Amino acid sequence: MAEHKKITCPLDCFDLCLIDVEVEAGNIISIKGNPDHPLTKGVICSKGRNHLNRHNSKERILSPKIKVNGSWKNVGYSEAVDEVAKRIKNIDSKDILYYTDSGHGGISKSGGEIFFGNLGPVTTHRGSLCWDAGNYALTKTLGELRGIHYSEVADCDVLLLWGRNAVDTNLHLYMYAKKNNKKIIYIDPIKTSTASVASEYYQIAPNSDLYLVIGILKIIKENIPGLNEIDGSEILDGYDMGSITEKTSLSIDQIRSLADIFIGDLKVISYIGYGLQRYKNGAETVEGILKVHYYSGKYNRKGCGFAYSDKRVSRKIHKKFKVEGVENITFVKSKFGEYVNKRGDLKAIFIEKSNPVVQLPNTIQVIESLESIPFKVGIDVFMTDTMKMMDVVFPAPSVFECEDIVSTSMFSPYLQYTQKCCDPPAEVKPEYELFQMLAKNMKMTGYPNVSLDDFLLSHIETILNEQFVDYNDFKKKGWIDVDKNNYNMASIVDFKDITLNFLPRTINFEQDTQYPIRLITPHSKNSLHSQGFKDINDIPVVYLNRAGFIDGQKVKVVSNYGELECKVKIDRSCLANVAYIYEGYWKKSGIVNSVTTDSFSNHGDQAAYYDTFVKIEEI
Ligand SMILES: Nc1nc2c(c(=O)[nH]1)N[C@H]1C(S)=C(S)[C@@H](COP(=O)(O)OP(=O)(O)OC[C@H]3O[C@@H](n4cnc5c(=O)[nH]c(N)nc54)[C@H](O)[C@@H]3O)O[C@H]1N2
Ligand SMILES: Nc1nc2c(c(=O)[nH]1)N[C@H]1C(S)=C(S)[C@@H](COP(=O)(O)OP(=O)(O)OC[C@H]3O[C@@H](n4cnc5c(=O)[nH]c(N)nc54)[C@H](O)[C@@H]3O)O[C@H]1N2
Ligand code: SF4
Ligand SMILES: [Mo]
């Protein structure tokens, strides 16, 4: 007899799909989207469907491993834990680097944070590879990370997707808009799948949305009473529309059409993507978009507003065991390689929920710096390029093998449950238990000595009480809307900062003649970062639109940081001075970040990946 269980897709995605799982005699027979979920409504994407293949894959790491003379030896947990404890016990904690990301969004995966909090101060990163320029802008402007609830989209006239490739990266936002027959307007330098479904598409030059914002504000300024008294409003007068059209590659008519949607009575919601803030001035761009909404009044009534990130759920999660006040040594995440080399005295590194060899910028320096660290420990489901460089590797259970509670601050407003659907293989333990073993071995007293179930419950007890929801009912249903009581207030946002003095005063038209092409490395439809590229063996595809190149031709993409062999695919819609390659290819194909810049944003310490300039050479 088959049993029916539920999990939440824990990938670092906007959507948090609820998935029904059919289990028979400990084996997963099938998975499909849970039809009752209010947002994800039974539809899961190819990455979600792939969880079953990953679970059953013969390539999974199935026991702890220790590297001996360059070869892996399978060992039991006690031996591997002993080895790690022995090696890190006598090191000054500041000489241990703790590196993590969002490879799995479950609370059960927070053991590392607690363990290193107790061990610390350690060395760790600040800022982000993902979203921190935009988060800086939200915090500065609103005082917190807050955006509208997706259900507001039902009440808008225009859904403005500002560099948010929803069809590929945020499927359920697109599906919700489509179901409600919403007009989609899309702004992106690349003609993505979202451009194909939009009613209007604006092909903007990369890194010029801030100038589009200035253009829009210049056009709508007669409709903004009191603007002249605003700090920084004079900056708008310093620009002529000619230079704005030149910078943005948009015509005056196009800028006017975009301004028009902010002038009239239309109800407008902007969803701001994360691609447009992967630049040095990423924070200013997002702040500019928020302020267009402020000055046009498109934010504090039903069907109007914006969304980028929102901590309405995570703010309420009670991290009872988190150690507060530890003064870690921090470095900007994108500068990993440079920092490690400069420090020169790091003794150990611990890496979990991430694949920095592939995902950090400036790969060559990342690899070289990692090699210099004498003792390296990692946890992953697969032997990624990062795990291959470790000295000790621990396996992580598959998404079906560990009970969990999952949430995101990217889009979905729900708190969700993952049932344990089957036992992990004999030599695979949940990370929560692994860190418990390590803590015991090292006689660390601060690590929680409670069951995983109690650990999970401690995080959400307050939420359950507030919502009058019983823990078992939550488990049975699989989700709750944490902000339910505040539903109608969701779009009311209070602006703490309405100034315009963050706007740049001039436009820089300089072009690097040696590296004339801007390289964008966006996220691929069928892979969550590197995870879906496991079975791809081909060299990366570079999309471009330049004379002298043909489909299938092999080329070298060269930047200041390195070079990468690629295969050309001509995209007739691509801007001439732009090329793009999807991020995520493994070392066997060629890591895209071998050519990306490790520079970061003026504010928020966000990796400025798309400020990469390259030349493309025939080979
Ligand atoms: N399928 C899939 N979905 C994902 C992910 C994935 O890897 N694969 N990753 C998840 C994660 S961690 C994240 S952070 C999000 C990211 O989600 P998105 O923000 O949607 O994705 P990105 O690919 O980073 O960038 C989105 C778009 O920004 C555009 N862009 C680049 N520069 C500019 C610019 O200057 N102006 C404008 N207007 N647009 C610009 C790019 O061309 C790209 O199409 O997606 C999440 N969802
Ligand atoms: N060039 C370029 N590079 C980029 C970006 C870009 O746009 N362009 N985008 C950046 C962005 S937005 C982000 S968020 C980062 C993401 O960077 P990463 O988070 O490092 O990327 P992933 O490839 O998703 O790596 C997650 C790893 O976690 C593992 N994992 C899955 N489940 C578990 C688990 O339960 N436990 C443990 N321990 N591991 C698990 C997966 O197998 C995978 O190897 O990449 C950034 N890199
Ligand atoms: S990756 Fe995103 S859209 Fe796909 S199944 Fe997971 S949560 Fe849903
Ligand atoms: Mo991200």
Side-chain angles (χ1 to χ4, degrees), residues 12 14 47 130 163 165 168-169 187-190 192 207 209 274-276 278-279 522-525 527 529 610:
D12 188 11
F14 292 104
K47 305 179 293 299
C130 180
N165 181 12
D168 290 345
T169 65
I187 308 173
D188 194 310
I190 300 174
T192 63
N207 197 27
D209 301 70
Y274 295 4
L276 56 63
R278 300 191 209 288
Y279 297 97
H523 300 189
S524 141
K525 181 183 177 70
S527 176
H529 305 301
Y610 305 169

PDB file of all heavy atoms in Angstrom, residues 12 14 47 130 163 165 168-169 187-190 192 207 209 274-276 278-279 522-525 527 529 610, ligand 1:
ATOM      1  N   ASP A  12      16.831  27.254  -3.480  1.00  0.00           N
ATOM      2  CA  ASP A  12      16.938  28.696  -3.261  1.00  0.00           C
ATOM      3  C   ASP A  12      16.162  29.430  -4.361  1.00  0.00           C
ATOM      4  O   ASP A  12      16.714  30.174  -5.158  1.00  0.00           O
ATOM      5  CB  ASP A  12      18.433  29.045  -3.310  1.00  0.00           C
ATOM      6  CG  ASP A  12      18.719  30.471  -2.899  1.00  0.00           C
ATOM      7  OD1 ASP A  12      17.808  31.119  -2.387  1.00  0.00           O
ATOM      8  OD2 ASP A  12      19.866  30.909  -3.093  1.00  0.00           O
ATOM      9  N   PHE A  14      12.265  31.411  -5.576  1.00  0.00           N
ATOM     10  CA  PHE A  14      11.256  32.313  -5.035  1.00  0.00           C
ATOM     11  C   PHE A  14      10.023  31.569  -4.507  1.00  0.00           C
ATOM     12  O   PHE A  14       9.326  32.058  -3.651  1.00  0.00           O
ATOM     13  CB  PHE A  14      10.763  33.253  -6.145  1.00  0.00           C
ATOM     14  CG  PHE A  14      11.783  34.246  -6.640  1.00  0.00           C
ATOM     15  CD1 PHE A  14      12.431  34.062  -7.852  1.00  0.00           C
ATOM     16  CD2 PHE A  14      12.074  35.380  -5.902  1.00  0.00           C
ATOM     17  CE1 PHE A  14      13.344  35.003  -8.322  1.00  0.00           C
ATOM     18  CE2 PHE A  14      12.990  36.320  -6.359  1.00  0.00           C
ATOM     19  CZ  PHE A  14      13.630  36.127  -7.574  1.00  0.00           C
ATOM     20  N   LYS A  47      13.113  21.556 -12.207  1.00  0.00           N
ATOM     21  CA  LYS A  47      14.066  21.410 -11.091  1.00  0.00           C
ATOM     22  C   LYS A  47      13.406  20.677  -9.923  1.00  0.00           C
ATOM     23  O   LYS A  47      14.036  19.894  -9.238  1.00  0.00           O
ATOM     24  CB  LYS A  47      14.564  22.790 -10.630  1.00  0.00           C
ATOM     25  CG  LYS A  47      15.171  23.619 -11.759  1.00  0.00           C
ATOM     26  CD  LYS A  47      15.638  24.979 -11.300  1.00  0.00           C
ATOM     27  CE  LYS A  47      14.540  25.921 -10.877  1.00  0.00           C
ATOM     28  NZ  LYS A  47      13.535  26.277 -11.887  1.00  0.00           N
ATOM     29  N   CYS A 130      24.027  37.227  -3.922  1.00  0.00           N
ATOM     30  CA  CYS A 130      22.663  37.103  -4.430  1.00  0.00           C
ATOM     31  C   CYS A 130      21.879  38.409  -4.496  1.00  0.00           C
ATOM     32  O   CYS A 130      21.513  38.836  -5.581  1.00  0.00           O
ATOM     33  CB  CYS A 130      21.950  36.095  -3.534  1.00  0.00           C
ATOM     34  SG  CYS A 130      20.256  35.771  -3.969  1.00  0.00           S
ATOM     35  N   GLY A 163      13.425  43.621 -14.808  1.00  0.00           N
ATOM     36  CA  GLY A 163      14.563  42.712 -14.763  1.00  0.00           C
ATOM     37  C   GLY A 163      14.260  41.451 -13.961  1.00  0.00           C
ATOM     38  O   GLY A 163      15.158  40.840 -13.409  1.00  0.00           O
ATOM     39  N   ASN A 165      13.026  37.840 -14.467  1.00  0.00           N
ATOM     40  CA  ASN A 165      12.731  36.844 -15.500  1.00  0.00           C
ATOM     41  C   ASN A 165      11.797  35.784 -14.938  1.00  0.00           C
ATOM     42  O   ASN A 165      12.160  34.623 -14.775  1.00  0.00           O
ATOM     43  CB  ASN A 165      14.062  36.250 -15.977  1.00  0.00           C
ATOM     44  CG  ASN A 165      13.871  35.212 -17.065  1.00  0.00           C
ATOM     45  OD1 ASN A 165      12.779  35.085 -17.626  1.00  0.00           O
ATOM     46  ND2 ASN A 165      14.928  34.477 -17.362  1.00  0.00           N
ATOM     47  N   ASP A 168      11.244  32.001 -16.109  1.00  0.00           N
ATOM     48  CA  ASP A 168      12.324  31.046 -15.834  1.00  0.00           C
ATOM     49  C   ASP A 168      12.671  30.918 -14.342  1.00  0.00           C
ATOM     50  O   ASP A 168      13.083  29.854 -13.893  1.00  0.00           O
ATOM     51  CB  ASP A 168      13.603  31.465 -16.586  1.00  0.00           C
ATOM     52  CG  ASP A 168      13.465  31.278 -18.093  1.00  0.00           C
ATOM     53  OD1 ASP A 168      12.528  30.574 -18.516  1.00  0.00           O
ATOM     54  OD2 ASP A 168      14.283  31.846 -18.835  1.00  0.00           O
ATOM     55  N   THR A 169      12.571  32.013 -13.580  1.00  0.00           N
ATOM     56  CA  THR A 169      13.090  31.948 -12.198  1.00  0.00           C
ATOM     57  C   THR A 169      12.022  32.092 -11.125  1.00  0.00           C
ATOM     58  O   THR A 169      12.292  31.880  -9.950  1.00  0.00           O
ATOM     59  CB  THR A 169      14.156  33.043 -11.945  1.00  0.00           C
ATOM     60  OG1 THR A 169      13.539  34.331 -12.051  1.00  0.00           O
ATOM     61  CG2 THR A 169      15.321  32.943 -12.899  1.00  0.00           C
ATOM     62  N   ILE A 187      11.198  44.711 -18.536  1.00  0.00           N
ATOM     63  CA  ILE A 187      12.402  45.487 -18.870  1.00  0.00           C
ATOM     64  C   ILE A 187      13.625  44.610 -18.626  1.00  0.00           C
ATOM     65  O   ILE A 187      13.860  44.175 -17.492  1.00  0.00           O
ATOM     66  CB  ILE A 187      12.510  46.746 -17.962  1.00  0.00           C
ATOM     67  CG1 ILE A 187      11.207  47.554 -17.993  1.00  0.00           C
ATOM     68  CG2 ILE A 187      13.712  47.601 -18.360  1.00  0.00           C
ATOM     69  CD1 ILE A 187      11.169  48.704 -16.996  1.00  0.00           C
ATOM     70  N   ASP A 188      14.368  44.313 -19.667  1.00  0.00           N
ATOM     71  CA  ASP A 188      15.521  43.413 -19.519  1.00  0.00           C
ATOM     72  C   ASP A 188      16.432  43.582 -20.738  1.00  0.00           C
ATOM     73  O   ASP A 188      15.937  43.680 -21.862  1.00  0.00           O
ATOM     74  CB  ASP A 188      15.012  41.957 -19.427  1.00  0.00           C
ATOM     75  CG  ASP A 188      16.075  40.981 -18.939  1.00  0.00           C
ATOM     76  OD1 ASP A 188      17.198  40.984 -19.484  1.00  0.00           O
ATOM     77  OD2 ASP A 188      15.781  40.205 -18.011  1.00  0.00           O
ATOM     78  N   PRO A 189      17.751  43.580 -20.568  1.00  0.00           N
ATOM     79  CA  PRO A 189      18.627  43.666 -21.737  1.00  0.00           C
ATOM     80  C   PRO A 189      18.548  42.426 -22.616  1.00  0.00           C
ATOM     81  O   PRO A 189      18.841  42.480 -23.808  1.00  0.00           O
ATOM     82  CB  PRO A 189      20.032  43.774 -21.143  1.00  0.00           C
ATOM     83  CG  PRO A 189      19.874  43.918 -19.675  1.00  0.00           C
ATOM     84  CD  PRO A 189      18.495  43.525 -19.302  1.00  0.00           C
ATOM     85  N   ILE A 190      18.157  41.282 -22.017  1.00  0.00           N
ATOM     86  CA  ILE A 190      18.098  40.031 -22.773  1.00  0.00           C
ATOM     87  C   ILE A 190      16.637  39.691 -23.070  1.00  0.00           C
ATOM     88  O   ILE A 190      15.775  39.823 -22.190  1.00  0.00           O
ATOM     89  CB  ILE A 190      18.751  38.878 -21.978  1.00  0.00           C
ATOM     90  CG1 ILE A 190      20.220  39.205 -21.698  1.00  0.00           C
ATOM     91  CG2 ILE A 190      18.628  37.555 -22.722  1.00  0.00           C
ATOM     92  CD1 ILE A 190      20.903  38.209 -20.801  1.00  0.00           C
ATOM     93  N   THR A 192      14.438  37.341 -22.873  1.00  0.00           N
ATOM     94  CA  THR A 192      14.236  36.045 -22.218  1.00  0.00           C
ATOM     95  C   THR A 192      12.836  35.500 -22.522  1.00  0.00           C
ATOM     96  O   THR A 192      12.035  36.168 -23.184  1.00  0.00           O
ATOM     97  CB  THR A 192      14.344  36.211 -20.696  1.00  0.00           C
ATOM     98  OG1 THR A 192      13.272  37.092 -20.301  1.00  0.00           O
ATOM     99  CG2 THR A 192      15.662  36.835 -20.273  1.00  0.00           C
ATOM    100  N   ASN A 207      22.766  47.809 -16.854  1.00  0.00           N
ATOM    101  CA  ASN A 207      23.224  48.771 -15.854  1.00  0.00           C
ATOM    102  C   ASN A 207      22.799  50.195 -16.171  1.00  0.00           C
ATOM    103  O   ASN A 207      23.541  51.137 -15.902  1.00  0.00           O
ATOM    104  CB  ASN A 207      24.756  48.704 -15.727  1.00  0.00           C
ATOM    105  CG  ASN A 207      25.221  49.368 -14.441  1.00  0.00           C
ATOM    106  OD1 ASN A 207      24.466  49.421 -13.467  1.00  0.00           O
ATOM    107  ND2 ASN A 207      26.435  49.882 -14.435  1.00  0.00           N
ATOM    108  N   ASP A 209      19.239  51.113 -15.696  1.00  0.00           N
ATOM    109  CA  ASP A 209      17.890  51.327 -15.144  1.00  0.00           C
ATOM    110  C   ASP A 209      17.843  52.583 -14.273  1.00  0.00           C
ATOM    111  O   ASP A 209      16.807  53.237 -14.175  1.00  0.00           O
ATOM    112  CB  ASP A 209      17.444  50.119 -14.312  1.00  0.00           C
ATOM    113  CG  ASP A 209      17.421  48.856 -15.134  1.00  0.00           C
ATOM    114  OD1 ASP A 209      18.524  48.379 -15.500  1.00  0.00           O
ATOM    115  OD2 ASP A 209      16.342  48.348 -15.449  1.00  0.00           O
ATOM    116  N   TYR A 274      16.671  40.360  -9.369  1.00  0.00           N
ATOM    117  CA  TYR A 274      17.960  40.454  -8.667  1.00  0.00           C
ATOM    118  C   TYR A 274      19.105  40.689  -9.653  1.00  0.00           C
ATOM    119  O   TYR A 274      20.193  41.059  -9.262  1.00  0.00           O
ATOM    120  CB  TYR A 274      18.209  39.181  -7.850  1.00  0.00           C
ATOM    121  CG  TYR A 274      17.217  38.966  -6.709  1.00  0.00           C
ATOM    122  CD1 TYR A 274      16.154  39.837  -6.531  1.00  0.00           C
ATOM    123  CD2 TYR A 274      17.355  37.907  -5.815  1.00  0.00           C
ATOM    124  CE1 TYR A 274      15.250  39.651  -5.495  1.00  0.00           C
ATOM    125  CE2 TYR A 274      16.455  37.721  -4.768  1.00  0.00           C
ATOM    126  CZ  TYR A 274      15.397  38.600  -4.623  1.00  0.00           C
ATOM    127  OH  TYR A 274      14.509  38.416  -3.591  1.00  0.00           O
ATOM    128  N   GLY A 275      18.811  40.477 -10.958  1.00  0.00           N
ATOM    129  CA  GLY A 275      19.844  40.670 -11.972  1.00  0.00           C
ATOM    130  C   GLY A 275      20.281  42.127 -12.072  1.00  0.00           C
ATOM    131  O   GLY A 275      21.463  42.424 -12.211  1.00  0.00           O
ATOM    132  N   LEU A 276      19.313  43.044 -11.960  1.00  0.00           N
ATOM    133  CA  LEU A 276      19.657  44.458 -12.179  1.00  0.00           C
ATOM    134  C   LEU A 276      20.431  45.083 -11.027  1.00  0.00           C
ATOM    135  O   LEU A 276      20.836  46.243 -11.108  1.00  0.00           O
ATOM    136  CB  LEU A 276      18.414  45.284 -12.546  1.00  0.00           C
ATOM    137  CG  LEU A 276      17.202  45.316 -11.644  1.00  0.00           C
ATOM    138  CD1 LEU A 276      17.461  45.918 -10.293  1.00  0.00           C
ATOM    139  CD2 LEU A 276      16.089  46.089 -12.337  1.00  0.00           C
ATOM    140  N   ARG A 278      23.133  43.344  -9.733  1.00  0.00           N
ATOM    141  CA  ARG A 278      24.471  42.722  -9.718  1.00  0.00           C
ATOM    142  C   ARG A 278      25.477  43.640 -10.409  1.00  0.00           C
ATOM    143  O   ARG A 278      26.179  43.251 -11.333  1.00  0.00           O
ATOM    144  CB  ARG A 278      24.434  41.371 -10.431  1.00  0.00           C
ATOM    145  CG  ARG A 278      23.471  40.373  -9.794  1.00  0.00           C
ATOM    146  CD  ARG A 278      23.674  38.965 -10.356  1.00  0.00           C
ATOM    147  NE  ARG A 278      22.448  38.202 -10.313  1.00  0.00           N
ATOM    148  CZ  ARG A 278      21.884  37.712  -9.217  1.00  0.00           C
ATOM    149  NH1 ARG A 278      22.470  37.893  -8.061  1.00  0.00           N
ATOM    150  NH2 ARG A 278      20.751  37.038  -9.276  1.00  0.00           N
ATOM    151  N   TYR A 279      25.467  44.908  -9.978  1.00  0.00           N
ATOM    152  CA  TYR A 279      26.355  45.937 -10.527  1.00  0.00           C
ATOM    153  C   TYR A 279      26.853  46.798  -9.375  1.00  0.00           C
ATOM    154  O   TYR A 279      26.237  46.811  -8.303  1.00  0.00           O
ATOM    155  CB  TYR A 279      25.576  46.837 -11.496  1.00  0.00           C
ATOM    156  CG  TYR A 279      25.047  46.121 -12.711  1.00  0.00           C
ATOM    157  CD1 TYR A 279      23.740  45.650 -12.765  1.00  0.00           C
ATOM    158  CD2 TYR A 279      25.879  45.903 -13.807  1.00  0.00           C
ATOM    159  CE1 TYR A 279      23.265  44.983 -13.881  1.00  0.00           C
ATOM    160  CE2 TYR A 279      25.402  45.237 -14.933  1.00  0.00           C
ATOM    161  CZ  TYR A 279      24.098  44.778 -14.958  1.00  0.00           C
ATOM    162  OH  TYR A 279      23.626  44.125 -16.068  1.00  0.00           O
ATOM    163  N   PRO A 522      23.276  35.054 -16.409  1.00  0.00           N
ATOM    164  CA  PRO A 522      22.017  34.884 -15.669  1.00  0.00           C
ATOM    165  C   PRO A 522      21.752  33.435 -15.271  1.00  0.00           C
ATOM    166  O   PRO A 522      22.536  32.537 -15.576  1.00  0.00           O
ATOM    167  CB  PRO A 522      20.978  35.386 -16.668  1.00  0.00           C
ATOM    168  CG  PRO A 522      21.561  35.126 -18.011  1.00  0.00           C
ATOM    169  CD  PRO A 522      23.060  35.114 -17.863  1.00  0.00           C
ATOM    170  N   HIS A 523      20.607  33.238 -14.625  1.00  0.00           N
ATOM    171  CA  HIS A 523      20.255  31.920 -14.090  1.00  0.00           C
ATOM    172  C   HIS A 523      19.480  31.120 -15.126  1.00  0.00           C
ATOM    173  O   HIS A 523      18.586  31.650 -15.786  1.00  0.00           O
ATOM    174  CB  HIS A 523      19.429  32.097 -12.824  1.00  0.00           C
ATOM    175  CG  HIS A 523      20.157  32.850 -11.758  1.00  0.00           C
ATOM    176  ND1 HIS A 523      19.692  32.981 -10.475  1.00  0.00           N
ATOM    177  CD2 HIS A 523      21.335  33.511 -11.791  1.00  0.00           C
ATOM    178  CE1 HIS A 523      20.546  33.691  -9.771  1.00  0.00           C
ATOM    179  NE2 HIS A 523      21.555  34.033 -10.544  1.00  0.00           N
ATOM    180  N   SER A 524      19.793  29.848 -15.206  1.00  0.00           N
ATOM    181  CA  SER A 524      19.204  29.026 -16.255  1.00  0.00           C
ATOM    182  C   SER A 524      17.861  28.436 -15.824  1.00  0.00           C
ATOM    183  O   SER A 524      17.650  28.112 -14.654  1.00  0.00           O
ATOM    184  CB  SER A 524      20.216  27.925 -16.586  1.00  0.00           C
ATOM    185  OG  SER A 524      19.566  26.725 -16.818  1.00  0.00           O
ATOM    186  N   LYS A 525      16.966  28.284 -16.785  1.00  0.00           N
ATOM    187  CA  LYS A 525      15.612  27.783 -16.511  1.00  0.00           C
ATOM    188  C   LYS A 525      15.619  26.426 -15.807  1.00  0.00           C
ATOM    189  O   LYS A 525      14.894  26.197 -14.853  1.00  0.00           O
ATOM    190  CB  LYS A 525      14.849  27.666 -17.835  1.00  0.00           C
ATOM    191  CG  LYS A 525      13.420  27.181 -17.707  1.00  0.00           C
ATOM    192  CD  LYS A 525      12.795  27.025 -19.085  1.00  0.00           C
ATOM    193  CE  LYS A 525      11.407  26.481 -19.034  1.00  0.00           C
ATOM    194  NZ  LYS A 525      10.418  27.403 -18.480  1.00  0.00           N
ATOM    195  N   SER A 527      18.073  24.762 -14.190  1.00  0.00           N
ATOM    196  CA  SER A 527      19.024  24.447 -13.115  1.00  0.00           C
ATOM    197  C   SER A 527      18.956  25.489 -12.029  1.00  0.00           C
ATOM    198  O   SER A 527      18.765  26.670 -12.294  1.00  0.00           O
ATOM    199  CB  SER A 527      20.451  24.424 -13.674  1.00  0.00           C
ATOM    200  OG  SER A 527      21.370  24.209 -12.618  1.00  0.00           O
ATOM    201  N   HIS A 529      21.282  27.202 -10.038  1.00  0.00           N
ATOM    202  CA  HIS A 529      22.732  27.426 -10.059  1.00  0.00           C
ATOM    203  C   HIS A 529      23.441  26.202 -10.638  1.00  0.00           C
ATOM    204  O   HIS A 529      23.074  25.725 -11.691  1.00  0.00           O
ATOM    205  CB  HIS A 529      23.263  27.795  -8.666  1.00  0.00           C
ATOM    206  CG  HIS A 529      22.546  28.960  -8.086  1.00  0.00           C
ATOM    207  ND1 HIS A 529      22.514  30.172  -8.688  1.00  0.00           N
ATOM    208  CD2 HIS A 529      21.805  29.092  -6.968  1.00  0.00           C
ATOM    209  CE1 HIS A 529      21.793  31.011  -7.968  1.00  0.00           C
ATOM    210  NE2 HIS A 529      21.346  30.379  -6.925  1.00  0.00           N
ATOM    211  N   TYR A 610      27.749  41.229 -13.063  1.00  0.00           N
ATOM    212  CA  TYR A 610      27.461  41.647 -14.438  1.00  0.00           C
ATOM    213  C   TYR A 610      28.244  42.892 -14.855  1.00  0.00           C
ATOM    214  O   TYR A 610      28.039  43.422 -15.940  1.00  0.00           O
ATOM    215  CB  TYR A 610      25.954  41.838 -14.649  1.00  0.00           C
ATOM    216  CG  TYR A 610      25.081  40.630 -14.303  1.00  0.00           C
ATOM    217  CD1 TYR A 610      23.700  40.736 -14.232  1.00  0.00           C
ATOM    218  CD2 TYR A 610      25.640  39.371 -14.054  1.00  0.00           C
ATOM    219  CE1 TYR A 610      22.894  39.648 -13.911  1.00  0.00           C
ATOM    220  CE2 TYR A 610      24.857  38.286 -13.733  1.00  0.00           C
ATOM    221  CZ  TYR A 610      23.480  38.420 -13.652  1.00  0.00           C
ATOM    222  OH  TYR A 610      22.687  37.348 -13.334  1.00  0.00           O
TER     223      TYR A 610
HETATM  224  N1  LIG B   1      15.468  28.445 -12.851  1.00  0.00           N
HETATM  225  C1  LIG B   1      16.090  29.069 -11.861  1.00  0.00           C
HETATM  226  N2  LIG B   1      15.379  29.819 -10.993  1.00  0.00           N
HETATM  227  C2  LIG B   1      16.005  30.484  -9.996  1.00  0.00           C
HETATM  228  C3  LIG B   1      17.411  30.369  -9.806  1.00  0.00           C
HETATM  229  C4  LIG B   1      18.149  29.544 -10.727  1.00  0.00           C
HETATM  230  O1  LIG B   1      19.387  29.393 -10.617  1.00  0.00           O
HETATM  231  N3  LIG B   1      17.451  28.925 -11.732  1.00  0.00           N
HETATM  232  N4  LIG B   1      18.029  31.045  -8.809  1.00  0.00           N
HETATM  233  C5  LIG B   1      17.229  31.635  -7.746  1.00  0.00           C
HETATM  234  C6  LIG B   1      18.027  32.707  -7.136  1.00  0.00           C
HETATM  235  S1  LIG B   1      19.185  32.288  -5.968  1.00  0.00           S
HETATM  236  C7  LIG B   1      17.894  34.002  -7.497  1.00  0.00           C
HETATM  237  S2  LIG B   1      18.897  35.186  -6.805  1.00  0.00           S
HETATM  238  C8  LIG B   1      16.827  34.411  -8.432  1.00  0.00           C
HETATM  239  C9  LIG B   1      17.254  35.426  -9.471  1.00  0.00           C
HETATM  240  O2  LIG B   1      16.140  35.739 -10.240  1.00  0.00           O
HETATM  241  P1  LIG B   1      16.128  36.809 -11.364  1.00  0.00           P
HETATM  242  O3  LIG B   1      16.401  38.127 -10.776  1.00  0.00           O
HETATM  243  O4  LIG B   1      14.902  36.665 -12.177  1.00  0.00           O
HETATM  244  O5  LIG B   1      17.321  36.193 -12.245  1.00  0.00           O
HETATM  245  P2  LIG B   1      18.732  36.646 -12.812  1.00  0.00           P
HETATM  246  O6  LIG B   1      19.022  35.590 -13.830  1.00  0.00           O
HETATM  247  O7  LIG B   1      19.688  36.894 -11.757  1.00  0.00           O
HETATM  248  O8  LIG B   1      18.443  38.011 -13.534  1.00  0.00           O
HETATM  249  C10 LIG B   1      17.172  38.298 -14.092  1.00  0.00           C
HETATM  250  C11 LIG B   1      17.277  39.082 -15.324  1.00  0.00           C
HETATM  251  O9  LIG B   1      17.958  40.316 -15.053  1.00  0.00           O
HETATM  252  C12 LIG B   1      18.435  40.738 -16.281  1.00  0.00           C
HETATM  253  N5  LIG B   1      19.344  41.849 -16.146  1.00  0.00           N
HETATM  254  C13 LIG B   1      20.688  41.846 -16.109  1.00  0.00           C
HETATM  255  N6  LIG B   1      21.148  43.094 -16.040  1.00  0.00           N
HETATM  256  C14 LIG B   1      20.073  43.913 -16.047  1.00  0.00           C
HETATM  257  C15 LIG B   1      19.913  45.321 -16.008  1.00  0.00           C
HETATM  258  O10 LIG B   1      20.874  46.089 -15.938  1.00  0.00           O
HETATM  259  N7  LIG B   1      18.640  45.798 -16.056  1.00  0.00           N
HETATM  260  C16 LIG B   1      17.553  45.010 -16.136  1.00  0.00           C
HETATM  261  N8  LIG B   1      16.366  45.552 -16.173  1.00  0.00           N
HETATM  262  N9  LIG B   1      17.679  43.663 -16.171  1.00  0.00           N
HETATM  263  C17 LIG B   1      18.923  43.138 -16.106  1.00  0.00           C
HETATM  264  C18 LIG B   1      19.046  39.485 -16.878  1.00  0.00           C
HETATM  265  O11 LIG B   1      19.187  39.618 -18.257  1.00  0.00           O
HETATM  266  C19 LIG B   1      18.079  38.414 -16.448  1.00  0.00           C
HETATM  267  O12 LIG B   1      17.206  38.059 -17.476  1.00  0.00           O
HETATM  268  O13 LIG B   1      16.269  33.305  -9.119  1.00  0.00           O
HETATM  269  C20 LIG B   1      15.919  32.187  -8.289  1.00  0.00           C
HETATM  270  N10 LIG B   1      15.277  31.250  -9.154  1.00  0.00           N
END
